[in-house]
Structures are given as structure tokens and as C-alpha cells.
Amino acid sequence: MAKELTPQEMMRIDLSPPTRDWMDIPTVIKPGIYCYPAKPEKVEIVGMPNAHVWSPVEEDWGLPEDWKETFLEGMRERLDKHRSFKIFMDICVRCGACADKCHFFLGSGDPKNMPVVRAELIRSIYRGEFTKAGKILGRLAGGRKLTDKVLKEIWYYMFQCTECRRCSLFCPYGIDTAEVTIIGRELLNLFGLNINWIQEPVANCYETGNHLGLLPHTFKQNIEFMCMDIEEFVGITIEPPFNKKGAEILFVTPSGDVFAEPGIFTLAGYLMLFEHLGLDYTWSTYASEGGNFGFFTSLDMAQRLNAKIYAEAKRLGVKWILGGECGHMWRVIHQYMNTFNGPPEFLEEPVSPITGTKFENAKSAKMVHITEFTADLIKHNKLKLDPSRNDHLKVTYHDSCNPSRGMGMFEEPRYVLKNVCNHFYDMPESTIREQTFCCGSGAGLNAGENMELRLRGGLPRANAVKYVHERFGVNMLSCVCAIDRAVLPASMEYWVPGMNVCGVSELVANALIMEGENERTVNLRGEEIPGRGEVKEDV
Amino acid sequence: MITRIIVAFGAVVAIVVAAWMGGSVPGLQPLFGVVLPYVAFAIFLIGFIAKVVKWAKSPVPFRIPTTAGQQITLPWIKWAKIENPSTTGGVITRMFLEICCFRSLFRNMRSDLRSGWIIHHPTKWLWLLALGFHYSFLIIALRHMRLFVQPVPGFVETLDAVDGMFQIGIPPIYLTDLIILLAVSGLLIRRLCLPKMRFMSLVADYFPLFLILGIVISGLLMRFVYRVDITAVKALANGIASFHPVVPKGIGTIFFVHVALVSTLLAYFPFSKLMHMGGVFMSPTRNLANTSRMEYHENPWRKPPKFHPYEEYEDMYREYMKEAGLPLERE
């Protein structure tokens, strides 16, 4: 297992593939790399097929007798439904531009993690089962038949892709492995082959409203606990509104931030910002999840989970929706939500009640990113900020994959960061913005049992963090993604000890000068701010 | 993996041998010089269109551009209008750069592991080879118009003059002939020698390279070594273009090899990866504007979602909600 490998050992990676034909290299499903299978009861809750107990390391996966027909029929259906999938099956020239762009390939050296080969796993089925040349010539035409060994290989590698789309940036035809993975996972879900780390959040989100399965009262309590901390550290009493009808804005953020460190400090940041502004907003316990693990299951499931946000906005009668910091959540919100469940004609075009700014780029979907919202506030001098409170931090910023390559939010967070802290350093150009590297644990792969995979996938990102850590003394890795906040601490602890992780809104709230606040001697984590402690030590 | 290379090379050699043997029998020349090109061109045309229509029949359910620059957002933030386009003009420019300048390949980076660091550095080789190959292929194809059309169009004359302006050798060698030879060889060597490339390459990757190399070499041989009768070639090409085919005597066998290889390329085209020529125009990650939150994008097969409605949620957790003081629709 990963923990037993030292970083030096883990870094002994051979990027030269073997000389054998990839179709002849047997796939061995290894502990530390794969995730545990979906529990049947979690599959049943959302009415997905073939809920059953199985294990990836056993011979028999408990597949229905007609699994092959189901897979191929599903594939045919999806070729007809998605031009992307159809074209991407046909036009890859295997130029190799994508090969060394994948964090999993760079971190593991497993040649089937080269994006081109990952897609070839499915493309070879397409050729072997759907094209005449492939049916007749077989391997000569790059085709192969769908067997249970092939299926297992597809399963293994579809859950070693975080749908980060870095490869699609470099592909001369824009072939997007995420499309292939999304559809590959959909096909596996036709007979219950999800992983539990995705399936359980999906079932939870469906029923309780959030991935973590926080019941309405727990959700409320957790936020109120955070308010108690704020009261203690900042001296401001906050009573956040829940399920409030007639509020102007519905606020939705990933539930991870309501649950664990360091995300919970980002949540504190939201609470303080909204309190400071006197924003007329509400939380919802029903639509209490911004993230969407349905997106890692099937597009249908993504739509079903996403539907709650607009439905709740309608029920509460809000004018528009504000979304918290999260990566894949924003891919779904930005590129899918309006199509899934919109257009929301019952909402109004978003306008900031503080600055009057119209968010023209969100005028149809009616949902604004918190960082867009905050950047606008700062630009209009609506926040009194003391960035020196963050002076003990040297901050860098990790662009999350989805807001980068599925949206293009690069300047907003940097503008905010440069206003709330005095020491900001970007990582090398080839590892940020549109070229950013995944945290290594996206797309539902942030489980515990696949830690080796996560650490390997996280290596390219961590390596760039290490660079600014050694060069500039950077000690805080900021991001706008709840999964990043959940997984980067482990990756940093392993690769770059001493590096902390935070959300952008946490740094905003640390710098925010609120009316009636205490003299701030501690930050939102309750840690003393160097040089501001009540007892100044003599040195 | 060597098998794949041998099979692809063998297939091209087989075509050359068959054409050489067939082309040297006068009775078979109409088959190789006329019937084959006609059939190949028909397959190319119909196959190409059929493939594009087949793609077009699948809808684009979601707006999924890969955004490669700053989004359109607050008015004071500089927006990357081309790398992350939100207007039709921006998309057209992005597509132009992609198709005509190979923008994405130009971005290429090489990542290596060196003593504890992952080093990323720009690499332009693939871009250069690809650009050199595609443009010289295009110009050579256009130059060949002089054989098919009488009188020769002005732009073809100009192209010919510019391409041949170096006047090296007799007859002068064209610049594009040199470039394509170098570029195709480069692409082939890359595929043969780099372990990653060899690992991912299929017969379908080697075959077009050997085929095109065969076309280039046979073309050069015709011009410099075997010196085919250009008047006779023109007569044949003109005949084909005007649908009055004739096969003049004494063209030279190498000509039939060249024609057979080109015909193979045309007929093979619609069923191969070479269709990236059509596909690049239709790739949803490139040809869509990033207006996802600005405009509604319709999915033609959208179904209303089955989700857990609020009423059921409240029924399920009413007691908890009541106790926590959360507002309820029904007490």
C-alpha cells in the first residue's frame, strides 16, 4: 500500500511503456489503486439496475447473463445521442500529444493511463464490434471483442481518470477523454458496476439532499457550530437563515464544506461575508449539495441530483442562485444545469444587491460563482480588507480542473487573492490556468482505499507546489474546490510536508474588517496570527 | 508491435507490386489508369459525405467547449475572446487557428521526470512536422490541377511558380516535394522510434504513412528518374476530368504505381482516421461558444428528471426539521 512507499520510492516511475502490444498486457487489479464496489442498497435507493454484492478482485463479478448485449446496446445508443462520443471514436490519429498530459500517467507510468490508450480501450470495442473492418480483420484493424477480461480492464481504467480534460486541451481535434470516461462509466452502471465512494454520495444526495447524508437538523447544526466559532474568534454573532421563503438569493455549496476541515473554514468565510454585507439569502437543507457525484455515474443521474437546485429556488421564491467554491459542481452548473433542468424562467437575471452589477454571463442559468461575486465586491470597494492579517501566509493558487477547462475562471480568484493577501505566488505556467493539473482525486476517486492512486495522480500538482514552496517559501495552497480541500492535505502531507490548504473565501474572511468585530488575534482556525497575539513574546 | 509495422509496410508493397505488374501490361492500363481512379474517387466522395452525415445525425446535447482562457465575466476582467470564445466570431477565429495553424499542437509540452522533479518544456516538433506535411500535401494536390484542367487556372500557375522558384536541378525540384518528404519521414521515424508512440500505434497509423511516403516517392521517381511522358499524363488526366477517358501509349509503368497508391488513399480515406479532416470541424469541445450560462442550449433527447421532490423530503424528515426549528410547508 501507498503509505509503505516513501515519496522517493513512489517517484521511481518509468514512463517508457513495454514493447508488448497493449492488448496482450493483462490487467491486474491492484489494491491501493481500485475503489471498493457500490453497496447494493445504495444502488437500489436511486433505482439503478443490477444492485448486487461483488468484488473487483474476485473472478465472478455477478454480471447478468446478457451484460454484453446491454453494454453494446448502451454503446450504440450513446453513439447516437452524443456527437462528441461518435466523432471521438472515429478520428483519433494517435499523434501522442496527449500521452504525457495525464497526471495519472505521469505519476504511475502505467501506459494504459495515457489518455489515448485509455480511450483506445473503448475505441477497440467500437472498432471490433461496430465497424466492418474491425469485425472482419479484428486486431489488424485495431478491433477486439468485448469479453469479461476486457470489461474488467475498462472498469479499472475508467476509475483511474478524473475527467479533468487536460488532455483535451492539447488534442489537435479536441478529443476529450472526459467524454469517453463519462460514457464508459455510464455503460458500467448499466449493470451495477459503480464504486461505492460515488454511489453512496449519490444515494445520500438523492434522499437527504447532500453527499454526506447530513440530515436537515445536522446540516443546520453544523453551520451553527461554525457560527459559534466565529463568535469566539471574531466576536460577531451570526444567525444564518435556513429554507427561508422570499429570500433574494439561494446559496448552494458542496456539503463537504459543512463537514470537515479545512473546508469548514471556507464555510465560515461565506457566513462572515454574507453577514457583513447584510445579504438577503438563505441556505437550503433540501438542496444542500452543490457538488454532483451523479455526474460521475451517468448524465441521467447528474440531471436528477441537479434538479433539486432549481426546484428549491422555485419553492423558496428566490431571485437568483449563488454557488460556493467547488470544482466539478461548476462544470455541471456552468455547462449542464441550464440544459438539464432549465431555463429557470421563474428566476431573475442575477444582479448584485450590493454593487448593482449585472452578471451578464449568467443571465440565462441565473447562477453566479462566489468568486465572481466577491471579485465584483472588491472592485467596487465594498469590502474593507486588511490583507496584512494574512501576512504570515505565502499563498499560491491551485486552479481546479473544471472551473478552468470547463468555464475559464482564472482572473477572478487571483484578483481576490491579491487583494486579501500580500504574498501571492503563482506556480509554473505549465501547471496552472488552462494547463492546470488535477489534485489527483477528482471525479469521485477521493476514497481512502485507493490512496496510492491518489498520491500518484496528485504528484504533478504537488511537484509544482513543491517548487514554489522551495523557491518562495509558499506555505498555503488555496483553491476553489471542496474536493481539493478534502484531498490536497493528504497529498501535501506526503509530497510537500508543511503545506496547508484553504479555500479562497477563508482568506477573504480573515482579511475582512467587520463592523463590531474583536481585535483579530486569531484566524478562523483559531490559530494565533503571528505578531498579533495578545501576549507579544520578546525575542 | 513489429507485426503492425510489417503488415502496414507489406500492404503498401503489395499495392506497388500489383500496380507495377498491372501497369506494364497494356491491356490492363485502362483498369489501373481509369477505372481505379474513378472508383476510388467515388468511394472517397460518397464515403466522406456519408461519414459526415452520420456524425451530424448525432446531436450535441450539451455545450462542452474546452475553455483555454479567461471566461467572459465582469466587464473589467480581460476576456480571452479567442481561447475562450463566447461569440460566433470568436468561435470562427478559434476554429481557424485550430484548423489552419494547429493551435492545440502548438501548445504541446513535454513532461519528463528528472531527479525528483517533473519538468515541462515546450516542444514544437510534432507541430512543425504536422504543419509541414499538411500544407505541402495541400499545395501539391492543388498543383496537380494543372494536369486536370485546361486552361490551367491562374492561381495554379502562380502556386507552381512560387513552389518551384528555387530552380534546383533539372527539372527543378519543388520546395513542397522536399518538405513533404522530410515531414512524412519525420512523422514515421517518430512513430517507429519513440517507445510511447510505438506502444499506441496501430496498423491504421503506419499504413497511411507508408502509403503517402509511397505516393511521394513514386511521384518523385516519375519526375526525376523514370521521366514519364508528361503530355501523355496530361491527356489521360484531362480525359478523366472531362469524362472522356483515354489511355495514351507509353506513359511509363511508374505512373500506374503512383495512381494506384493515390487511389488507395482516396478509397481508404472515409473509413480511416484520416477522417479527422472532416471531424476537426465538428468537434464539440472546439466549435461551441462558451455561452453556457448566458444562453439556453437545448438537448433534443432531454427527459424530465425523476428526483426526490421537496414534499417527500419534508415527509421523510418532518420531525427532525420541526425540532430543529426549520420552516415547514405542512405542520
Side-chain angles (χ1 to χ4, degrees):
Chain A
M1 266 297 292
K3 283 288 174 194
E4 294 158 21
L5 288 178
T6 64
Q8 288 71 27
E9 285 164 339
M10 187 87 92
M11 271 209 79
R12 264 178 231 140
I13 302 158
D14 182 7
L15 294 179
S16 337
T19 52
R20 264 190 302 168
D21 188 328
W22 68 258
M23 286 191 202
D24 292 332
I25 300 174
T27 290
V28 184
I29 294 178
K30 292 185 192 135
I33 303 294
Y34 77 90
C35 293
Y36 298 148
K39 291 176 188 156
E41 63 271 23
K42 303 295 173 190
V43 177
E44 267 159 10
I45 288 176
V46 285
M48 283 166 54
N50 199 33
H52 67 299
V53 178
W54 62 287
S55 162
V57 285
E58 271 166 33
E59 189 60 32
D60 184 4
W61 282 19
L63 299 176
E65 225 156 78
D66 60 347
W67 70 268
K68 204 175 146 180
E69 286 74 32
T70 310
F71 188 101
L72 294 177
E73 195 40 55
M75 204 164 150
R76 193 185 320 276
E77 189 192 324
R78 281 155 186 83
L79 286 165
D80 290 341
K81 280 164 95 174
H82 297 270
R83 189 179 299 166
S84 54
F85 187 47
K86 206 172 196 177
I87 290 181
F88 297 164
M89 287 295 107
D90 277 325
I91 66 169
C92 175
V93 301
R94 289 162 292 276
C95 71
C98 62
D100 55 358
K101 306 303 178 283
C102 175
H103 50 285
F104 284 123
F105 175 63
L106 289 175
S108 72
D110 182 340
K112 288 179 192 169
N113 271 329
M114 290 194 271
V116 49
V117 182
R118 192 188 315 282
E120 285 289 314
L121 299 179
I122 302 235
R123 243 183 243 126
S124 57
I125 306 296
Y126 168 74
R127 290 189 292 257
E129 302 273 9
F130 291 88
T131 68
K132 281 198 190 70
K135 277 186 203 165
I136 299 164
L137 297 171
R139 270 175 73 155
L140 269 184
R144 58 175 180 170
K145 294 286 168 199
L146 183 59
T147 62
D148 58 342
K149 277 208 179 72
V150 168
L151 180 81
K152 287 172 182 177
E153 180 176 71
I154 289 173
W155 181 84
Y156 192 49
Y157 287 99
M158 288 299 115
F159 291 102
Q160 288 189 55
C161 166
T162 48
E163 304 176 2
C164 81
R165 305 177 100 205
R166 192 168 190 268
C167 49
S168 92
L169 180 76
F170 293 92
C171 174
Y173 321 119
I175 295 174
D176 182 3
T177 307
E179 289 292 293
V180 178
T181 300
I182 288 169
I183 285 167
R185 289 188 183 184
E186 272 196 20
L187 295 171
L188 295 165
N189 271 294
L190 294 176
F191 25 89
L193 296 186
N194 208 349
I195 59 171
N196 201 54
W197 197 261
I198 294 175
Q199 192 66 39
E200 191 158 333
V202 163
N204 287 343
C205 190
Y206 178 81
E207 236 175 42
T208 63
N210 56 71
H211 289 156
L212 293 162
L214 303 174
L215 296 176
H217 56 295
T218 318
F219 186 80
K220 182 168 179 266
Q221 271 165 13
N222 280 10
I223 292 177
E224 285 168 348
F225 280 139
M226 210 54 225
C227 292
M228 286 158 69
D229 276 1
I230 294 170
E231 191 160 5
E232 188 189 337
F233 302 144
V234 185
I236 299 278
T237 312
I238 299 175
E239 283 176 29
F242 290 93
N243 301 359
K244 181 181 147 195
K245 283 198 173 177
E248 185 177 354
I249 296 164
L250 168 66
F251 181 67
V252 181
T253 201
S255 64
D257 285 348
V258 187
F259 186 68
E261 291 184 10
I264 195 105
F265 308 120
T266 307
L267 179 103
Y270 304 142
L271 289 164
M272 286 166 61
L273 180 70
F274 300 158
E275 180 68 20
H276 174 73
L277 298 171
L279 201 67
D280 179 17
Y281 82 107
T282 183
W283 294 85
S284 163
T285 59
Y286 167 69
S288 46
E289 181 59 66
N292 191 327
F293 272 39
F295 190 61
F296 310 140
T297 302
S298 68
L299 289 166
D300 177 52
M301 204 61 235
Q303 182 194 15
R304 291 171 65 191
L305 298 184
N306 175 264
K308 287 185 180 186
I309 297 178
Y310 278 151
E312 183 69 340
K314 192 174 184 182
R315 184 182 77 86
L316 296 175
V318 300
K319 287 185 183 162
W320 56 278
I321 310 166
L322 186 60
E325 299 178 9
C326 179
H328 76 273
M329 158 182 171
W330 274 94
R331 168 108 136 106
V332 176
I333 303 266
H334 185 70
Q335 295 199 323
Y336 291 86
M337 177 160 75
N338 209 8
T339 302
F340 274 160
N341 296 307
E345 265 132 21
F346 46 88
L347 295 176
E348 291 176 16
E349 288 184 20
V351 177
S352 168
I354 316 297
T355 64
T357 299
K358 280 189 185 170
F359 295 96
E360 299 270 356
N361 63 336
K363 66 183 177 197
S364 177
K366 283 139 180 134
M367 187 150 174
V368 175
H369 195 291
I370 184 75
T371 314
E372 295 170 334
F373 182 73
T374 310
D376 174 65
L377 290 170
I378 295 175
K379 183 72 182 175
H380 286 87
N381 291 317
K382 298 293 179 190
L383 303 182
K384 265 188 266 171
L385 298 165
D386 176 6
S388 70
R389 287 180 195 162
N390 288 322
D391 269 358
H392 57 296
L393 302 176
K394 292 194 171 174
V395 182
T396 190
Y397 176 71
H398 162 64
D399 291 275
S400 308
C401 316
N402 287 292
S404 300
R405 288 179 286 264
M407 188 170 161
M409 195 178 75
F410 302 122
E411 292 306 330
E412 296 90 334
R414 285 179 174 78
Y415 178 78
V416 172
L417 286 168
K418 285 172 188 170
N419 275 282
V420 301
C421 40
N422 289 321
H423 309 294
F424 176 78
Y425 304 90
D426 251 327
M427 284 177 271
E429 218 180 317
S430 45
T431 66
I432 56 165
R433 297 179 189 258
E434 70 275 6
Q435 299 192 40
T436 190
F437 274 107
C438 179
C439 59
S441 311
L445 303 183
N446 48 327
E449 63 270 19
N450 62 335
M451 192 50 88
E452 180 176 342
L453 176 77
R454 287 177 46 189
L455 293 175
R456 288 189 178 283
L459 171 62
R461 166 42 74 229
N463 208 248
V465 175
K466 192 175 163 196
Y467 176 79
V468 285
H469 175 63
E470 291 189 0
R471 178 133 191 226
F472 306 113
V474 164
N475 54 10
M476 183 58 92
L477 175 59
S478 67
C479 59
V480 286
C481 172
I483 290 189
D484 284 334
R485 287 189 283 275
V487 305
L488 284 173
S491 171
M492 290 303 124
E493 194 194 327
Y494 188 80
W495 294 114
V496 198
M499 183 64 55
N500 280 308
V501 178
C502 74
V504 169
S505 293
E506 179 186 344
L507 296 179
V508 172
N510 270 334
L512 186 65
I513 302 171
M514 296 179 75
E515 213 163 298
E517 68 178 13
N518 294 342
E519 192 191 337
R520 299 263 201 113
T521 55
V522 290
N523 62 18
L524 297 185
R525 302 185 180 197
E527 300 159 350
E528 214 164 272
I529 304 172
R532 289 177 191 252
E534 281 167 40
V535 187
K536 285 191 181 138
E537 285 172 41
D538 295 320
V539 181
Chain B
M1 285 196 288
I2 302 297
T3 330
R4 295 170 179 176
I5 302 166
I6 295 169
V7 168
F9 186 70
V12 175
V13 170
I15 296 162
V16 171
V17 171
W20 187 273
M21 283 160 58
S24 55
V25 180
L28 287 178
Q29 284 179 353
L31 181 67
F32 281 89
V34 177
V35 178
L36 189 63
Y38 269 136
V39 171
F41 194 71
I43 294 174
F44 171 73
L45 212 60
I46 296 166
F48 194 103
I49 293 168
K51 188 71 133 201
V52 169
V53 169
K54 195 177 146 202
W55 287 336
K57 273 192 190 158
S58 295
V60 181
F62 303 104
R63 190 173 274 284
I64 51 162
T66 304
T67 56
Q70 172 61 40
Q71 67 167 345
I72 183 168
T73 173
L74 303 162
W76 48 271
I77 290 179
K78 194 165 174 269
W79 160 43
K81 290 181 182 164
I82 296 165
E83 300 284 23
N84 187 350
S86 291
T87 59
T88 311
V91 171
I92 290 170
T93 315
R94 185 184 199 190
M95 290 303 286
F96 172 84
L97 290 175
E98 193 64 88
I99 291 162
C100 298
C101 309
F102 301 178
R103 172 69 184 98
S104 295
L105 273 189
F106 190 71
R107 216 189 282 279
N108 202 11
M109 289 288 207
R110 206 191 131 127
S111 300
D112 289 316
L113 287 152
R114 267 184 229 149
S115 52
W117 293 100
I118 301 182
I119 314 281
H120 315 278
H121 43 98
T123 166
K124 305 286 182 220
W125 279 108
L126 180 58
W127 174 80
L128 200 66
L129 291 172
L131 208 68
F133 163 66
H134 282 85
Y135 272 103
S136 40
F137 197 106
L138 176 69
I139 292 167
I140 291 167
L142 289 173
R143 276 204 280 103
H144 276 65
M145 294 268 291
R146 64 182 296 119
L147 303 172
F148 291 92
V149 189
Q150 278 301 346
V152 180
F155 81 94
V156 176
E157 293 281 19
T158 315
L159 214 55
D160 206 280
V162 173
D163 198 359
M165 68 184 186
F166 286 99
Q167 300 288 333
I168 305 161
I170 300 169
I173 191 161
Y174 289 103
L175 199 56
T176 48
D177 286 351
L178 277 178
I179 297 174
I180 201 167
L181 197 60
L182 289 173
V184 176
S185 310
L187 290 168
L188 187 61
I189 290 166
R190 186 176 166 270
R191 221 176 254 290
L192 291 171
C193 298
L194 300 179
K196 283 197 208 70
M197 293 308 298
R198 225 170 29 232
F199 186 78
M200 71 182 75
S201 295
L202 304 173
V203 176
D205 299 312
Y206 296 114
F207 179 65
L209 281 170
F210 285 126
L211 190 63
I212 291 165
L213 200 59
I215 291 170
V216 173
I217 293 171
S218 61
L220 290 172
L221 287 176
M222 251 193 303
R223 192 170 159 85
F224 295 102
V225 181
Y226 294 96
R227 309 297 285 265
V228 292
D229 178 354
I230 192 70
T231 331
V233 170
K234 264 190 182 168
L236 189 143
N238 257 306
I240 285 182
S242 57
F243 294 100
H244 292 97
V246 282
V247 182
K249 282 201 179 80
I251 289 189
T253 313
I254 185 72
F255 171 75
F256 295 99
V257 172
H258 188 66
V259 169
L261 291 171
V262 173
S263 300
T264 308
L265 184 69
L266 284 169
Y268 175 70
F269 202 103
F271 312 102
S272 71
K273 69 168 192 175
L274 303 176
M275 278 307 291
H276 66 266
M277 177 181 171
V280 65
F281 287 88
M282 296 170 78
S283 180
T285 62
R286 291 291 185 274
N287 70 7
L288 288 170
N290 180 22
T291 54
S292 305
R293 275 186 293 157
M294 255 185 283
E295 285 163 18
Y296 176 64
H297 178 90
E298 198 186 338
N299 170 3
W301 47 263
R302 177 191 181 273
K303 278 187 291 192
K306 272 197 274 176
F307 65 102
H308 193 217
Y310 177 81
E311 292 69 31
E312 282 179 27
Y313 168 86
E314 193 180 293
D315 287 345
M316 221 164 159
Y317 302 115
R318 179 163 291 107
E319 286 314 307
Y320 294 128
M321 292 176 77
K322 210 168 166 178
E323 213 166 295
L326 288 163
L328 294 166
E329 291 280 342
R330 291 189 300 117
E331 285 298 317

